C-alpha cells in the first residue's frame, strides 16, 4: 500500500523516538502544529507515524517539506492509510470520532516499532519529547503502557459519576497521551471478561467492542479503560502535567504536578484551541502556530505568549499563567543555551 514504508529495523529504530497520531477530517492544521511543537523542542531524532485519510496525505507531505532544513533533518515521517485489522472497518470508523479507533491497532500495524508515544491531534509539547520518552525506563516488568488519570477528583470525574462499564482506578484514564511498549503489548496475554484464559491484544479488541458497544461513550478511550480495569498491573500512571486539559483549571486548579513543575504536555480537548472558552489554551496554540521557525524563541514565541496571557487573567485557567509558562520557559532556555554553546564550539577552537 502506498505510504506504508518499511521502518528501520532494530537497533536503528531504538535511536528514534516514535510519535504516532491519527488525523481525519479537519484536523490537518492541528496535527501540523502538534508536530511543530514536538520538533521545536526535542533533542533526539523523531520518527513520525501519521495515520491519515487519503485526501490529507498529499497536504501533509507538502507542508512538512516546507519546514526549514534545520528542522526537517530532525525527523523522518511515514504516512499511512486508515486500516483496521480485525472486525468491521465501518463500525470502527464510527466509534466516537472518525478514525480515532485507529490507535487501538498501532501494536498490530507498526510491527517493527518497539516503543511509541501516541498523542491526539490537539496536543502541544511544552518540553522535549525526550522527557516523557524517559518514562519508558520506569516501567516495571509487567507495565506496557502509560496514561494519565482522566480526573484528579472522583466526585467531579466523568467515569466515577457516569460510566456504565468497567474503568481503570477511581477516575479512569485519559488516552490522549499514551506511551506504549509495543513489543510487550504484542507478547502479552490479557485477562478479560470474554473467556477464562488470556487473549492477545489483537484477539481481544473486536469481541470486547461487541460486548460493550452499547455502554461506551468515549469510544476507544473507554475500551482502553476496560482493558486496564482487567489488567491494572499492565498500566503505568503518569501525573496530570503530562496530559493537562481544561478540566484541570476550569473548575479551579486541580493538577498539583502542574502547579509544582509546570505543564509538560498541553491537551486542548473540547475544541478549546478554536473557540473563546479557554483563551489560555488558545493563546498557546496560536503562538506556536504563528512562530516563524528560524526566529528567536524568546522574541517570537515567549514574549508574544506572555502578552496574550495578560488578556486571559480574568479566566480560571488564566489566573495561573506560571503553570503554563514554567516548562516552556525552561525548555527555551535549554534550547537557546545548547544552540549558543554549539555555535561557539563550532567557531572557537580552544
Amino acid at each position: 500500500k502506498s505510504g506504508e514504508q518499511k521502518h528501520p529495523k532494530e537497533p536503528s529504530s531504538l535511536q528514534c523516538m516514535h510519535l504516532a497520531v491519527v488525523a481525519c477530517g479537519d484536523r490537518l492544521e492541528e496535527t501540523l502544529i502538534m508536530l511543530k511543537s514536538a520538533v521545536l523542542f526535542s533533542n533526539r531524532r523523531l520518527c513520525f507515524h501519521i495515520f491519515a485519510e487519503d485526501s490529507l496525505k498529499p497536504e501533509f507531505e507538502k507542508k512538512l517539506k516546507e519546514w526549514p532544513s534545520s528542522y526537517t533533518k530532525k525527523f523522518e515521517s511515514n504516512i499511512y492509510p486508515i486500516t483496521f485489522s480485525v472486525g468491521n472497518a465501518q463500525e470502527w470508523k464510527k466509534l466516537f470520532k472518525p478514525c480515532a479507533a485507529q490507535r487501538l491497532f498501532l501494536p498490530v500495524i507498526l510491527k517493527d516499532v518497539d516503543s511509541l508515544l501516541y498523542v491526539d491531534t490537539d496536543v502541544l509539547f511544552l518540553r522535549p519529547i525526550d522527557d516523557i520518552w524517559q518514562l519508558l525506563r520506569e516501567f516495571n516488568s509487567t507495565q506496557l503502557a502509560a496514561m494519565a488519570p482522566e480526573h484528579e477528583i472522583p466526585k467531579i470525574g466523568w467515569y466515577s459519576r457516569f460510566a456504565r462499564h468497567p474503568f481503570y482506578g477511581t477516575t479512569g484514564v485519559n488516552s490522549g497521551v499514551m506511551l506504549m511498549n509495543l513489543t510487550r503489548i504484542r507478547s502479552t496475554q490479557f485477562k478479560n471478561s470474554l473467556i477464562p484464559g488470556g487473549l492477545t491484544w489483537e484477539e481481544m479488541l473486536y469481541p470486547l467492542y461487541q460486548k460493550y458497544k452499547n455502554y461506551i461513550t468515549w469510544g476507544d478511550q473507554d475500551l482502553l479503560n476496560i482493558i486496564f480495569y482487567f489488567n491494572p498491573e499492565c498500566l503505568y500512571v503518569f501525573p496530570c502535567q503530562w496530559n493537562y486539559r481544561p478540566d484541570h483549571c476550569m473548575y479551579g486548579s486541580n493538577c498539583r504536578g502542574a502547579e509544582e513543575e509546570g505543564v509538560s504536555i498541553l491537551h486542548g480537548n473540547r475544541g478549546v484551541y478554536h473557540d473563546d472558552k479557554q483563551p489560555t489554551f488558545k493563546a498557546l496554540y496560536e503562538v506556536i502556530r504563528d512562530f516563524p521557525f528560524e526566529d528567536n524563541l524568546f522574541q517570537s514565541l515567549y514574549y508574544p505568549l506572555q502578552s496574550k496571557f495578560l488578556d486571559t487573567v480574568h479566566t480560571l485557567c488564566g489566573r495561573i499563567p506560571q503553570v503554563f509558562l514554567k516548562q516552556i520557559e525552561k525548555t527555551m532556555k535549554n534550547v537557546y543555551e545548547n544552540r549558543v554553546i554549539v555555535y561557539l564550539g563550532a567557531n572557537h577552537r580552544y
Side-chain angles (χ1 to χ4, degrees), residues 67-235:
W67 291 2
S69 61
S70 56
Y71 286 94
T72 54
K73 68 184 185 199
K74 288 176 71 178
F75 69 88
E76 61 185 69
S77 59
N78 295 297
I79 303 174
Y80 310 81
I82 302 292
T83 49
F84 302 101
S85 61
V86 290
N88 179 322
Q90 289 313 310
E91 273 191 281
W92 285 122
K93 272 188 183 153
K94 286 198 216 96
L95 181 66
F96 194 45
K97 289 186 178 153
C99 314
Q102 180 71 71
R103 90 177 83 186
L104 297 171
F105 295 88
L106 297 177
V108 182
I109 298 167
L110 301 175
K111 287 184 167 48
D112 295 333
V113 177
D114 173 64
S115 294
L116 178 85
L117 177 64
Y118 164 87
V119 294
D120 286 348
T121 59
D122 52 8
V123 155
L124 292 169
F125 293 94
L126 306 187
R127 68 190 279 183
I129 289 192
D130 312 61
D131 297 340
I132 190 167
W133 195 255
Q134 289 298 328
L135 296 180
L136 286 163
R137 296 182 177 180
E138 294 187 20
F139 284 16
N140 67 23
S141 60
T142 60
Q143 289 164 339
L144 45 76
M147 287 183 273
E150 170 65 19
H151 220 288
E152 306 308 301
I153 304 165
K155 68 171 185 278
I156 53 173
W158 195 91
Y159 284 106
S160 36
R161 290 186 298 159
F162 305 118
R164 295 159 61 211
H165 57 78
F167 58 89
Y168 178 88
T170 53
T171 59
V173 281
N174 183 284
S175 59
V177 179
M178 185 176 179
L179 196 57
M180 293 183 256
N181 182 321
L182 299 183
T183 304
R184 285 188 180 180
I185 290 174
R186 287 186 285 262
S187 62
T188 297
Q189 293 281 321
F190 291 88
K191 298 190 288 293
N192 59 84
S193 57
L194 303 162
I195 62 163
L199 289 169
T200 67
W201 186 265
E202 190 174 17
E203 287 167 342
M204 175 175 59
L205 288 178
Y206 194 61
L208 206 61
Y209 164 66
Q210 287 296 324
K211 178 168 180 176
Y212 290 105
K213 66 180 178 184
N214 296 327
Y215 305 100
I216 57 181
T217 305
W218 307 112
D220 45 312
Q221 177 171 292
D222 290 349
L223 286 178
L224 290 166
N225 266 286
I226 294 165
I227 290 168
F228 290 110
Y229 167 83
F230 290 107
N231 300 272
E233 72 288 351
C234 294
L235 191 66

Side-chain angles (χ1 to χ4, degrees), residues 135 147-149 152 236-244 255 257 261:
L135 296 180
M147 287 183 273
E152 306 308 301
Y236 175 100
V237 178
F238 49 68
C240 46
Q241 66 266 31
W242 293 104
N243 184 350
Y244 190 88
C255 174
E261 285 186 31

